[in-house]
Structure formats: C-alpha cells, structure tokens
Amino acid sequence: SWLEHRVWAGGAEVHLPPKEFAVLHHLLSASPRVVPTSELIERFENGRDARDGSLRVTIAKIRSRLAAAAPGEAPILHTVRG
C-alpha cells in the first residue's frame, strides 16, 4: 500500500517537494498551536546551523506556491514573533 500526499489551494493542486510537504504537514497538524522555530529546526534541519536560513527559504517557497495556486485568498501560514 502507498500513501498519496496531495495539497490543494484555491481548487488547484499544489505540487510540493517532499521537504516542503513535510514542513507544511507538521505546521497544519499542530494547528492552532504556534510551532516554535526551534521545533522546526530540530525536526527538519538535521543539525545544520539554523543561521543559514534554509528553513526560512523552505517556508517562503511553501507560501509562494500556495499563493500562486490561490491568488487573493488569505494565507494559511502566519509568522508569530516574540
């Protein structure tokens, strides 16, 4: 048996690479809890130095892909500072 990982936004399928899908799945599964950056780094950065910004780039790509598929719709990912 196999699992199908699919994301839809605005009625359109959004193709996400595996890491982007995993990050989005983690964030949505935790909702409405705010997921700390440290949790994402621990889970997805595999010990890399977080200062390289790769996690920020991954989240920016997810936001961009979702926005492109559903222009004009409210974003589902929000950054909470503090």
Side-chain angles (χ1 to χ4, degrees), residues 5-22:
H5 297 122
R6 299 173 82 180
V7 175
W8 295 81
E13 187 170 9
V14 180
H15 298 281
L16 297 176
K19 181 178 180 180
E20 291 176 26
F21 181 88

Side-chain angles (χ1 to χ4, degrees), residues 27-65:
L27 292 169
L28 294 177
S29 295
S31 182
R33 178 177 70 85
V34 173
V35 178
T37 302
S38 59
E39 181 179 322
L40 295 173
I41 290 169
E42 183 179 312
R43 183 167 180 128
F44 296 105
E45 292 303 295
N46 300 320
R48 281 186 292 188
D49 188 342
R51 291 175 290 179
D52 73 2
S54 63
L55 182 61
R56 278 193 302 263
V57 170
T58 298
I59 292 173
K61 286 180 179 179
I62 294 168
R63 284 184 168 133
S64 177
R65 292 179 204 280

